[in-house]
Amino acid sequence: QVQLRESGGGWVQAGGSLRLSCVASGRTSRLYATGWFRQAPGQEREFVAGIVTGGRVTKYAESVEGRFTISRDNAKNTVYLQMNSLKPEDTAVYSCAAKASSGSDWTAWGQGTQVTVSV
């Protein structure tokens, strides 16, 4: 099994930046990809960004394209989400997730970290 732990959330004014971290432990050699998701109050959870473990393939939601950057440090089993030009609508609980193959579900989830962007 894989365990995920997020950190780096907090409060920031609109236009500011935050960097989230997701550290994986356990059977990390089986990870195919890691992704970031977010859920705002009263809304469904949505995909934000994802990155493949073995390469540099990344994917972003249209709403964050050009503002957020996902990256990874395999030596540290850590995936980062650099969030720039934050907007109030980015306020949500951000969670990281992992999957074992391209066709599998996101089966490992972290607890989440709160990001609050004020006007």
Side-chain angles (χ1 to χ4, degrees):
Q1 288 187 340
V2 174
Q3 295 79 43
L4 303 174
R5 186 179 75 252
E6 306 94 337
S7 62
W11 175 89
V12 65
Q13 287 188 319
S17 299
L18 283 174
R19 188 178 80 158
L20 305 182
S21 299
C22 173
V23 179
S25 60
R27 293 187 174 184
T28 58
S29 63
R30 294 189 173 190
L31 291 181
Y32 169 76
T34 304
W36 284 98
F37 293 76
R38 67 186 181 186
Q39 187 168 21
Q43 297 186 22
E44 293 187 355
R45 183 168 59 196
E46 64 173 349
F47 173 82
V48 175
I51 186 167
V52 175
T53 300
R56 299 183 179 181
V57 176
T58 59
K59 184 177 180 180
Y60 296 93
E62 186 175 335
S63 58
V64 306
E65 186 86 50
R67 299 188 298 122
F68 291 11
T69 302
I70 189 169
S71 62
R72 65 179 310 120
D73 183 337
N74 287 339
K76 296 182 179 180
N77 290 323
T78 301
V79 171
Y80 304 99
L81 185 67
Q82 178 67 44
M83 307 185 294
N84 299 328
S85 302
L86 283 162
K87 305 175 182 180
E89 51 264 44
D90 293 318
T91 295
V93 174
Y94 285 70
S95 301
C96 63
K99 59 166 62 178
S101 66
S102 61
S104 67
D105 294 330
W106 298 94
T107 55
W109 290 86
Q111 296 283 352
T113 185
Q114 176 70 45
V115 171
T116 302
V117 184
S118 65
V119 297

